[in-house]
Every structure is written in structure tokens, then in C-alpha cells.
Amino acid sequence: MSSIGHALFSALSMAFAMGWEILWPLILGFALSGVVQAVVTKAEMSRLLPDSSPRSIVIASALGAASSSCSYAAVALARSVFRKGGDFIAAMAFQFASTNLVIELGIIVAVLIGWQFVAAEFAGGLIMVALLTVMLRAVVTRQRVAEAKQQADRGLAGRMEGHAAMDMSVGGEGSILARTLTPKGFTAISHFFVMDWAMIWIDIALGLFIAGALAAWVPKEFWQAFFLSADPVGSKIVGPLIGPIVAIVSFVCSVGNVPLAAVLWNGGISFGGVIAFLFADLIVLPILDIYRRYYGLRIALLLLGVSYAAMAGAAYILELVFGVAGLVPQQRSAQIVEAHLTWNYTTWFNIVFLGLAALLVWRFLKTGGPEMLRMMNQPAPAEAPQQS
């Protein structure tokens, strides 16, 4: 085998190994996300987010945590909320919560990196939303909101427009469990499950390949020098600044960036740097281009600057708090393993959850799912702009 072929095989092997490790958590996470989305309607979101008051921001964060983790769908839905009369800042808080406070992200982070990062991800997500809100309220003027609204009402397409416009949730009386156990609830869960996979499988595959390539090709010495690992103070300073930049140029969104976060952690980036990297899925280059189309170039650049500052700021706070509390892991032992299958708990869990996935896919296929899937990435129906 040639040197190029061997290098490619090593990267793919690493990618497969990490993919096998996170397969059952992914299925579990998306199934639980499907349950939550099935009982949370989108219809009332604009009414619930009329301003950027603390109450509206808390509601926006809760709605985001209950939604899909797909970055593109979150951004499209945030614009839809804004166009229908929701507050711009609250809509931004919603989209950041929807990619940082969701179930599936926490499960994957726990499996690959550790529970400390899950705690930091959720605590930091709340801190980041708070910082983002404060900074946006300071810099977003009425004129800028009006400019963003005018651009948003042009309806330029991004990605996942059709999915953002869909509302397949199950309303009515009864508990969450009762509604999910009905045939209609089971159908809704299956549709959310398959559509969430359809939205982000490219990001997951790309994230695994990039992580596999970096793990296989880049010497640990390079990472240690790049992240100033030999300087404990310096690494804590540069980590939260470098993390988002690596995310921006890696193009990976949503849960797809977790395997790469594991590689960076093993390579020597600081605890805060990992968290800042995970936060940055909403300022990767494709998302920034969608901001430009949705709200105009000035607002896109403003969102980049404010988001970067909020991510780095939250990461510094977490680095300090978790360091003082002794919660920063001392061992860099993220789950990056050689590609071979053994009859361990991961294999058994994967078999069980692949059975669950097959059941949900079967229900999806039997209940008109493919037709809805074809509509998912089409432009959303034209919305009548709300008068402010």
C-alpha cells in the first residue's frame, strides 16, 4: 500500500472507530430529541418571544433545548420566528440554545470526552446565552433590527427551510408519556428521528473524517506546541481564543464537531478551549454566509463578533470555576481508539439501538415520511411579514 493510501486508510479507520463508539449514543440522543420535539409545538414560539426580557430569554433557551440540534435548522427557525414578529435577540438566544443545550450533544460529549465537559457545556451554554443577550442589547439598535427585518423578509434561502417550517408536534390533552405512546405520537417521533439524521449526517461524517485524519496524521507534539501545552497559564489564555477559530475553518456543525473536540483535547488544548470550540458551531463559514443572506452583511459580521466574544467569555468563566472546583480532568483520555470490533458493551448497545432505529425508520416509511423528507430542504412557503 502506498504512503498516501496508508494515510487515508488510517484516517478512515480512526473515523470508523469513533463512529462505532458514538453510534448508540447518537441513536439514543436523536430518539429522545424526537420525543421532546413531538410534544413541543412551534406555533406559539413567536408569541412567546415578544422581547428580550429575562423571561423571554429563559423561554427561548428552554424552547431551544427542546428542539433539534441541527445548526442549519436552528438558524432557519430563528429567522422564521423573527419574521413572524418574535424579538431578534430572543430568536438569537433560541438558536444558540438549540445547538448547545440539547440532549444528544450531552450524550455524545459524555461518551467521548467525559461528564465534566457535559456539565461545562450545559452550564456554559446558559452563561453564553446570557452574555450574548447582554451584548446584543448593547449593540443592536432599532435601525439595525429594521435592516435585519427588511433583509429577512426578502426570504432568501439558506438550508433546511422546509424543516424549519414544519410543525409535526402532537398537541392535545394528556401527559407527555401518554401522547408519545399514541400512534400519532409514535409517527411524529419517527419523522423527527429520521429527519434529524437526514439533516446532520453529512456534518457527522465530515466531523468523524476530519477528527480521524487529525488523530492519525498530526503528531501530538504539533498540537502541544500550537496550544502552548507546556505553559499552563498561557494555554488557558489562548485556548478559548483558538477554539472557535478552529471551529470556523473546520466547517463542521452540530454534534459532528464532538469527535474533533476529543482530538483537540487529547492534543493539549485547554478545558476552556474545548468548550469554546463546541460552542462555535453557529459561526462556522457556511452559517456565516447564511447570516449574510438572512440579515445582511453588517448584521452577519455583528453576530460573528458578539458570538465569538460570548463564547470565549463563557469559556474563560468555566475554566476558572471548574479549575477552582477541581473539576477539570487531569488525564487526557478521550475515546479515540483503534478500529476493531469486540463483544463489549458498545457492540451490544449498538445492536440494541440499531434495532430501535430500524423500528423508527420502518414507521417513518409507512407513514408518508419520504414525501416529507423531500420537502425538508426546499424553501419554506412564503410568510406574511408581521407589522412591528
Side-chain angles (χ1 to χ4, degrees):
M1 183 182 297
S2 67
S3 58
I4 296 178
H6 179 75
L8 183 60
F9 177 78
S10 298
L12 291 173
S13 296
M14 283 288 192
F16 174 81
M18 285 185 282
W20 184 252
E21 191 73 24
I22 67 173
L23 180 58
W24 73 263
L26 276 173
I27 295 173
L28 173 60
F30 283 120
L32 292 174
S33 176
V35 171
V36 173
Q37 292 180 79
V39 296
V40 177
T41 67
K42 297 176 182 177
E44 295 298 306
M45 288 185 60
S46 299
R47 184 183 65 81
L48 292 172
L49 305 178
D51 51 39
S52 59
S53 66
R55 178 179 181 276
S56 292
I57 298 303
V58 169
I59 293 173
S61 299
L63 290 171
S67 71
S68 166
S69 67
C70 174
S71 305
Y72 297 106
V75 172
L77 183 53
R79 182 182 67 163
S80 178
V81 169
F82 178 48
R83 292 184 69 189
K84 291 177 180 177
D87 181 77
F88 177 77
I89 296 175
M92 295 302 102
F94 161 81
Q95 73 178 29
F96 275 85
S98 70
T99 60
N100 290 288
L101 300 176
V102 288
I103 299 169
E104 56 267 40
L105 179 66
I107 294 174
I108 303 303
V109 170
V111 169
L112 280 186
I113 320 181
W115 67 267
Q116 297 95 331
F117 291 91
V118 180
E121 174 74 19
F122 285 96
L126 295 173
I127 295 171
M128 183 180 64
V129 168
L131 292 175
L132 184 78
T133 301
V134 171
M135 286 188 282
L136 284 176
R137 291 182 70 173
V139 300
V140 174
T141 63
R142 288 178 179 269
Q143 181 181 352
R144 285 174 175 164
V145 171
E147 291 175 5
K149 187 70 160 55
Q150 183 178 19
Q151 178 70 16
D153 286 340
R154 294 178 61 191
L156 299 183
R159 280 182 60 182
M160 302 302 168
E161 302 284 347
H163 184 273
M166 295 176 185
D167 194 349
M168 302 174 290
S169 53
V170 181
E173 301 296 327
S175 66
I176 291 177
L177 179 61
R179 278 181 279 165
T180 57
L181 293 178
T182 63
K184 185 178 179 181
F186 184 35
T187 297
I189 293 168
S190 72
H191 285 211
F192 279 117
F193 176 82
V194 175
M195 289 185 179
D196 281 354
W197 272 101
M199 282 189 293
I200 70 165
W201 75 267
I202 294 177
D203 290 301
I204 293 174
L206 181 61
L208 287 170
F209 179 75
I210 293 174
L214 292 177
W217 300 345
V218 180
K220 184 173 289 188
E221 292 76 17
F222 170 83
W223 292 122
Q224 291 173 344
F226 185 65
F227 296 130
L228 304 183
S229 300
D231 181 355
V233 176
S235 65
K236 290 180 174 61
I237 294 173
V238 303
L241 301 177
I242 292 177
I245 295 174
V246 175
I248 289 172
V249 299
S250 71
F251 281 69
V252 183
C253 302
S254 192
V255 297
N257 64 5
V258 180
L260 182 51
V263 173
L264 298 179
W265 172 244
N266 280 359
I269 195 172
S270 68
F271 183 79
V274 173
I275 300 303
F277 171 82
L278 290 172
F279 285 159
D281 60 323
L282 283 176
I283 57 172
V284 298
L285 292 176
I287 296 289
L288 291 175
D289 184 56
I290 292 175
Y291 288 153
R292 178 188 60 81
R293 278 179 274 167
Y294 279 3
Y295 308 117
L297 180 59
R298 289 210 305 175
I299 297 297
L301 293 175
L302 184 147
L303 286 174
L304 169 61
V306 171
S307 301
Y308 181 87
M311 293 163 187
Y316 281 127
I317 293 172
L318 291 167
E319 182 81 65
L320 176 62
V321 173
F322 275 59
V324 171
L327 295 178
V328 176
Q330 299 303 307
Q331 301 298 320
R332 298 179 179 268
S333 55
Q335 292 296 317
I336 302 174
V337 295
E338 296 298 328
H340 63 276
L341 303 183
T342 58
W343 288 104
N344 56 15
Y345 82 93
T346 298
T347 300
W348 287 111
F349 275 23
N350 282 345
I351 292 172
V352 171
F353 282 97
L354 281 170
L356 172 62
L359 178 63
L360 291 169
V361 170
W362 172 83
R363 183 70 176 186
F364 173 84
L365 295 174
K366 290 292 185 179
T367 53
E371 182 178 352
M372 296 188 71
L373 188 60
R374 284 191 291 271
M375 298 168 56
M376 186 174 68
N377 209 21
Q378 296 177 358
E383 302 171 359
Q386 300 291 318
Q387 298 296 323
S388 56

